[in-house]
Structures are given as structure tokens and as C-alpha cells.
Amino acid sequence: MSLPTTTYKNALIELRNQILTYSGLSNNFVLNGDSLYGPDVWKMITEMIGESPEVNDTFIIFEFKELSNDSFGISVDDENISALAPYGLFIKIYGEHCHEAAYKLASIFRVPQVVERVRKAGIKIMTSSQIGSLNEFINGIRWPRCDIEIDVLCNFNVTIDNYSGDPYAESIALPINILKD
């Protein structure tokens, strides 16, 4: 059975929905970090006062990033081009109860119903890492943290204007003449 197509945005939304559904956390505690780390990324502004989570709060910062591996591939069918692209969902769970939340999330991405649900959304779960844990010191406070990585393949449609299907690699490979004064 082939993998349905999706978009980057839809894949990100689907994976975040799975984290929200199975973590049991509020929407405010599941953040798309995109290269931001630690509890200081979450600032709820209330009358110009910044509020951060407490150590006894559990919150998740995730990143959805391209991976470098051999799984990348393209296929061409008449005028349609599809790209099977590898991504990593990096999940960082903070707070005193991060271990319980980490085992819950690591488990759900292995449950057949969840695997099938995300596959129908155009995402194939390839691997799920072991849980890593550490203590992160931020502003003099010890934050327990657990990390999980879930590697996936996403099937994207690629649109190219004026796609002719003709090979063009020969013209790209021609040597370039360098002009000297």
C-alpha cells in the first residue's frame, strides 16, 4: 500500500496532534521549538509580565527537522513528482514528571493504531529512539529533561513549473569556460 502525500505543514500538525492527544498536556505546554531550547522559550505575556513554567510543570518542546540519510528519493509519474523525505521529530520533555511523559510518548508512537493513523496522513514512522535523560541547568535551576527522537518518512508532492520530463543533466555537466584578463 502506497504512502499518501502530505505537506510539511500538515505533517507537523499531525505529529503535534499526536503529542497533544497522548501527553494529556494543555495546548500551551506543547511548543514547536524550531531551534529554541529550555523553559525560557515559553513566555506568556500578561500585562507586560513574562511568565515561565515551574519545575513541577511538565511541558514539551519539539522540533521537526530534515535528516540526512539514504531514505530520500523521488519518483516521477507522467507529470507528477513525489519526494519521499526523511524527517526527525525531536521531542524534549521538561519538568519533574518528564520521565512518565517520555515513556508514554515513546510508547504511543509504537502502537499500531497510532502508526496507522499517521501513515494515513502521509507519514511513515521508521524508528523511535530510546529515551535519554539529563538535568539541564537554566538560570541556576535544575530542570529534569527527557529526549526522544522519532524518525519518519513523509511523502510530498513536488510542483515544478514548466516540467517537461526531458533529461537535462548533460547540459549541467558541461565544463565551464573561465575567462581570464
Side-chain angles (χ1 to χ4, degrees):
M1 188 178 302
S2 67
L3 189 63
T5 59
T6 189
T7 64
Y8 176 86
K9 180 180 178 183
N10 289 342
L12 182 63
I13 289 169
E14 178 62 32
L15 291 168
R16 184 176 188 276
N17 282 342
Q18 296 306 315
I19 294 170
L20 271 170
T21 299
Y22 292 101
S23 71
L25 297 177
S26 142
N27 189 43
N28 294 336
F29 287 102
V30 179
L31 309 168
N32 182 357
D34 238 358
S35 299
L36 300 174
Y37 297 93
D40 288 337
V41 303
W42 181 48
K43 299 289 184 187
M44 183 189 292
I45 304 299
T46 309
E47 297 175 5
M48 303 305 291
I49 298 171
E51 296 179 17
S52 294
E54 301 291 328
V55 174
N56 59 354
D57 293 328
T58 301
F59 69 98
I60 295 172
I61 297 175
F62 68 91
E63 296 176 277
F64 190 50
K65 300 279 186 192
E66 291 87 352
L67 294 178
S68 298
N69 69 29
D70 296 335
S71 299
F72 182 79
I74 62 167
S75 63
V76 179
D77 179 16
D78 294 330
E79 295 180 6
N80 299 318
I81 300 173
S82 294
L84 195 59
Y87 281 83
L89 178 64
F90 302 97
I91 303 171
K92 295 172 188 69
I93 306 164
Y94 289 87
E96 293 293 340
H97 304 287
C98 65
H99 299 281
E100 292 87 355
Y103 281 99
K104 185 188 288 188
L105 285 177
S107 299
I108 65 107
F109 281 103
R110 294 179 177 157
V111 172
Q113 294 89 336
V114 174
V115 171
E116 180 60 19
R117 188 174 303 123
V118 296
R119 190 203 65 74
K120 286 180 179 177
I123 307 162
K124 179 174 175 48
I125 297 175
M126 300 301 290
T127 60
S128 179
S129 73
Q130 298 295 322
I131 297 168
S133 63
L134 56 100
N135 289 318
E136 189 173 332
F137 287 88
I138 301 170
N139 296 330
I141 299 172
R142 179 190 66 87
W143 286 85
R145 181 179 121 191
C146 289
D147 297 345
I148 307 167
E149 178 183 344
I150 301 177
D151 293 342
V152 299
L153 286 175
C154 295
N155 192 13
F156 299 122
N157 278 335
V158 178
T159 55
I160 298 176
D161 296 335
N162 302 324
Y163 174 69
S164 66
D166 295 331
Y168 60 90
E170 293 79 13
S171 64
I172 292 174
L174 293 175
I176 297 171
N177 292 327
I178 297 174
L179 301 175
K180 295 183 181 180
D181 290 335

